[in-house]
Amino acid sequence: MRIGELAAAAGVSVRALRYYEEQGLLASRRSAGGHRHYPESAADQVWLIQQFYAAGLSSKAILAIMPCIETGEVTPEALALLVAERDRIDRQVEGLASARDRLDTIITTAGTPSCTGHPYRPAG
Amino acid sequence: MRIGELAAAAGVSVRALRYYEEQGLLASRRSAGGHRHYPESAADQVWLIQQFYAAGLSSKAILAIMPCIETGEVTPEALALLVAERDRIDRQVEGLASARDRLDTIITTAGTPSCTGHPYRPAG
DNA sequence: CTAGAATCTCACGTGAACGTCAGATTCAAC
DNA sequence: GTTGAATCTGACGTTCACGTGAGATTCTAG
């Protein structure tokens, strides 16, 4: 498939796909004229890249991890990185849960009779 | 307390504190010479700001939410924002959990006898 | 074969949350 | 009063994951 189709299929921009290739995260075959061509499996791969980006991994980290996913082979360095990122995500989830609870408390408290309805009474 | 002390107490840079003030997130009284001065409670406030930043809230969102925390008053707009951010965090946690599991699977699989030890055998 | 859509390669622009350097000023200690 | 550390106000630099033209080339449909 061509880059526009892949972009549509994966729900990302064409520019993003070129950027992934630039970072070494996504390979492509080229036509005689230089146009990129992808296999069907590329969509899943892009999905995974997006997921890792969303999880806060950098391009470099993803680059180091991707081969492990494709081949199953894990170097000690990659393993260390994997563990470090997993633990970082764990801590991030804790922080998120904490912030979430904070927001939720305010939301719930706002539902209290003494507060609901009228917004900010200047001289009440 | 002075800005350097607050920075040390809250574990952030002096520049960050000035930035928070610039964004309207953190107030300060000034000495005759123009130096910033903070109450003890500022450390907790900075902590909260950091937590919200870490949770992916923008300066603008935090700015809108902070008054609710301090006063307990919640305008309808603020409530909508609070709910939106809470839900966004929920979705983000889901994504993080998914990515985490992905990493964990690789880590665990790497502990398997057929893979442990030797890193990437070029011609094995 | 030709028009037009898609893609190509530069290469600068963006927004967020600060980092960092410069030069001037102020504060705390002696 | 004087020194040296801390703080001040700009203002430009940084990093990341792209956005956004510009201008040229390639593919596809009729």
Side-chain angles (χ1 to χ4, degrees):
Chain A
M1 63 195 330
R2 293 159 49 182
I3 196 170
E5 304 175 81
L6 177 56
V12 303
S13 69
V14 168
R15 176 68 172 99
L17 295 180
R18 294 203 192 100
Y19 177 74
Y20 298 162
E21 179 168 331
E22 192 181 319
Q23 300 299 309
L25 303 178
L26 186 65
S28 68
R29 286 187 346 230
R30 297 301 187 105
S31 72
H35 285 196
R36 292 171 179 84
H37 219 246
Y38 304 90
E40 298 296 322
S41 61
D44 285 353
Q45 197 174 348
V46 171
W47 223 87
L48 186 58
I49 293 174
Q50 285 279 104
Q51 190 168 27
F52 281 146
Y53 271 133
L57 299 202
S58 66
S59 291
K60 222 165 67 177
I62 299 176
L63 179 59
I65 287 173
M66 288 296 272
C68 306
I69 294 174
E70 289 167 21
T71 70
E73 296 279 340
V74 180
T75 69
E77 298 81 22
L79 183 58
L81 179 59
L82 284 164
V83 171
E85 290 294 346
R86 183 193 57 180
D87 293 352
R88 187 189 55 74
I89 292 176
D90 282 344
R91 285 193 301 276
Q92 189 175 347
V93 167
E94 283 181 41
L96 284 171
S98 172
R100 193 219 110 99
D101 286 352
R102 197 98 193 209
L103 294 181
D104 206 43
T105 298
I106 306 174
I107 293 171
T108 312
T109 304
T112 248
S114 70
C115 245
T116 323
H118 43 264
Y120 178 56
R121 300 175 303 166
Chain B
M1 63 197 324
R2 294 158 51 183
I3 196 171
E5 304 177 80
L6 177 57
V12 304
S13 70
V14 167
R15 177 69 174 95
L17 295 180
R18 289 202 268 258
Y19 177 74
Y20 297 162
E21 180 169 328
E22 192 180 319
Q23 300 299 308
L25 303 179
L26 185 65
S28 69
R29 286 190 344 233
R30 297 300 186 103
S31 72
H35 285 197
R36 292 171 178 84
H37 218 247
Y38 304 90
E40 298 296 321
S41 61
D44 285 354
Q45 198 174 346
V46 171
W47 222 87
L48 187 59
I49 293 173
Q50 286 279 106
Q51 189 168 28
F52 282 145
Y53 271 132
L57 299 201
S58 67
S59 291
K60 221 164 68 176
I62 300 177
L63 180 58
I65 288 173
M66 288 296 272
C68 306
I69 294 174
E70 290 168 20
T71 71
E73 296 279 341
V74 181
T75 69
E77 298 82 21
L79 183 58
L81 179 60
L82 284 163
V83 171
E85 290 294 346
R86 183 193 56 180
D87 294 351
R88 187 189 55 73
I89 292 177
D90 281 344
R91 286 193 302 274
Q92 190 176 347
V93 167
E94 283 180 41
L96 284 172
S98 172
R100 194 219 109 100
D101 286 352
R102 198 99 192 208
L103 295 182
D104 206 42
T105 298
I106 306 172
I107 292 171
T108 311
T109 305
T112 249
S114 70
C115 244
T116 323
H118 43 264
Y120 177 57
R121 300 174 304 165

